Amino acid sequence: MDGWSFDFAGDVAAPGVLTIDLAALTRNYLALRERLTPARTGAVVKADAYGLGAARVAPALYGAGCRDFFVAHLDEALALKPILAPDARLFVLNGLLPGAEEPCAAAGVIPVLNSLEQVANWSAAARVHGAELPAVLQVDTGMSRLGLAAAELARLAGDPGLRRDLRLLFLISHLASADEPESPQNADQLDAWRRAASAFPGLDLCFANSAGILLGASYHGMLARPGIALYGGVPAAGAAGVTSPVVRLEVRVIQTRTVPAGTRVGYGGSHVTAGAARLATLAAGYADGLPRHLGGRGAAYCGATRLPMVGRISMDSLTVDVTALPPGALGLGSLVEIIGPHQSLEEVAAAAETISYEILTRLGHRYQRRYRPAGADASRTIEQAS
Ligand SMILES: *Cc1c(COP(=O)(O)O)cnc(C)c1O
């Protein structure tokens, strides 16, 4: 529990404790920045900073030197703008819907423009505003999700009038297969990216997500956009150890029982005990972001002892087999580990046959949240680095 020790008294109203280590977060940021220098290191804080609380995460990253923050929706940027210093730039990855230009411009938020229609709408807003407006252009280099196709980009490059009301800051594109370093799609996208960039000489480039950073310097551009690696996820096979865990999740025991062989457990009676067993019911379920798919596959931990999840996961509870523990080891209110030193975020995601991103973003708001502050050590590192 070193560095994590808290007084748990008074926390018994929640299903468990979600601890978010802002010191680890800022260390992760600095570790990525070291790899990326001379490129700049931004941060993706969309989806409430992957569920961890953007209002806490973004200021901590700002304190570590981050000035470029990416969110998905304008609403997310508008919520963060007042809590970050004016020199923090907020970018809206999903672009703007018609009518969103005015509040975006008024707040000083920078949209990522994904189509010629959005370029035209933002240009019209600039004319109303009476001044150039900053913007980022997204180029689709092969993911077919967001961004201008090559032909649209060529039109924009060839007709400066289409962009005379805009101050283009940089070009952005997104990698579809960066988590598979062997995929030929990475090099294909890099080629498409270089062709796109050549149409806008002098414009800065922003390409890499977490896994893209690990593909090497040719993917770095001038600004990177890591998300999951900041939050302790392992962005690609072989990338373990690049960053450290940020999240710890412990859930409370709300009932224990001893049952004979042949006892049915949970909805549908899908689990039947093979022998006499001790069971513990935990206070979190799929409404707390523990996928139903973990039933019969996942586990909790008490120290190093694995406690298999048995039967189906309920909305607000789940059951683990605690027969491996000494009788009385767990009682009403005991905490067991779901994510922590004995079971990583990636292991939970693998057991649920999903990705760490989905586990994090679904953890929800019923847990007691504890933020470990970025702390003095991190601020010393920052002073040295700036
Ligand atoms: C979510 C997202 C990122 C961050 O990706 P990670 O894999 O979490 O590092 C970067 N860029 C774009 C466009 C995104 O949508």
Side-chain angles (χ1 to χ4, degrees):
M1 294 295 284
D2 241 11
W4 295 91
S5 41
F6 295 103
D7 173 13
F8 287 113
D11 295 346
V12 290
V17 182
L18 178 64
T19 309
I20 295 152
D21 185 349
L22 298 175
L25 171 86
T26 54
R27 273 201 311 279
N28 290 344
Y29 177 80
L30 295 172
L32 294 175
R33 188 166 79 180
E34 203 173 303
R35 271 177 190 254
L36 281 161
T37 305
R40 289 162 64 90
T41 307
V44 179
V45 294
K46 63 192 179 187
D48 201 24
Y50 290 40
L52 303 188
R56 303 297 296 265
V57 163
L61 292 170
Y62 183 93
C66 183
R67 295 293 177 270
D68 301 292
F69 297 87
F70 295 85
V71 293
H73 307 290
L74 176 58
D75 267 354
E76 296 179 310
L78 295 179
L80 279 176
K81 189 71 189 170
I83 63 172
L84 289 173
D87 63 336
R89 300 193 295 181
L90 278 156
F91 302 97
V92 179
L93 290 165
N94 277 9
L96 296 181
L97 294 177
E101 295 85 4
E102 206 283 315
C104 184
V109 168
I110 304 167
V112 173
L113 304 177
N114 291 315
S115 64
L116 289 177
E117 184 182 4
Q118 288 182 352
V119 169
N121 292 347
W122 191 235
S123 298
R127 290 191 291 274
V128 171
H129 207 69
E132 272 190 342
L133 283 175
V136 171
L137 271 186
Q138 177 149 220
V139 186
D140 175 26
T141 52
M143 191 174 180
S144 310
R145 186 174 75 166
L146 288 169
L148 285 82
E152 293 175 293
L153 197 72
R155 239 189 96 192
L156 193 61
D159 186 351
L162 290 177
R163 53 193 157 89
R164 67 166 170 257
D165 300 305
L166 305 182
R167 185 159 47 85
L168 293 182
L169 301 179
F170 52 85
L171 288 179
I172 168 177
S173 192
H174 193 49
L175 290 156
S177 301
D179 58 328
E180 298 168 38
E182 306 309 319
S183 168
Q185 194 177 8
N186 294 316
D188 287 352
Q189 285 195 262
L190 188 60
D191 282 348
W193 180 230
R194 286 180 169 147
R195 281 195 301 277
S198 68
F200 288 88
L203 213 53
D204 281 328
L205 306 178
C206 175
F207 200 22
N209 62 346
S210 300
I213 293 168
L214 305 175
L215 290 177
S218 52
Y219 288 83
H220 288 177
M222 72 67 158
L223 171 66
R225 312 181 304 272
I228 194 72
L230 295 172
Y231 307 118
V234 177
V242 174
T243 55
S244 21
V246 170
V247 170
R248 179 176 183 136
L249 176 61
E250 295 157 294
V251 169
R252 291 197 187 279
V253 173
I254 47 174
Q255 188 158 18
T256 56
R257 71 182 73 246
T258 302
V259 298
T263 302
R264 293 189 178 104
V265 180
Y267 279 120
S270 63
H271 178 78
V272 181
T273 55
R278 274 194 312 280
L279 304 176
T281 303
L282 308 182
Y286 61 78
D288 305 292
L290 305 178
R292 281 183 88 242
H293 205 64
L294 285 174
R297 295 182 182 83
Y301 277 79
C302 179
T305 305
R306 186 176 191 273
L307 311 175
M309 293 178 182
V310 291
R312 291 191 192 151
I313 310 284
S314 296
M315 183 187 292
D316 316 293
S317 66
L318 64 89
T319 302
V320 290
D321 188 316
V322 302
T323 314
L325 291 173
L330 294 177
L332 199 54
S334 297
L335 284 166
V336 297
E337 173 187 324
I338 304 285
I339 301 169
H342 301 96
Q343 178 165 257
S344 70
L345 169 64
E346 298 300 330
E347 285 167 326
V348 174
E353 295 180 355
T354 183
I355 52 176
S356 53
Y357 303 67
E358 193 174 18
I359 298 292
L360 281 186
T361 54
R362 288 191 176 193
L363 288 176
H365 288 273
R366 295 208 294 188
Y367 300 111
Q368 162 93 31
R369 286 182 173 224
R370 296 180 171 273
Y371 286 90
R372 187 176 180 222
D377 285 344
S379 59
R380 256 204 304 285
T381 318
I382 294 153
E383 277 162 26
Q384 281 163 10
S386 60

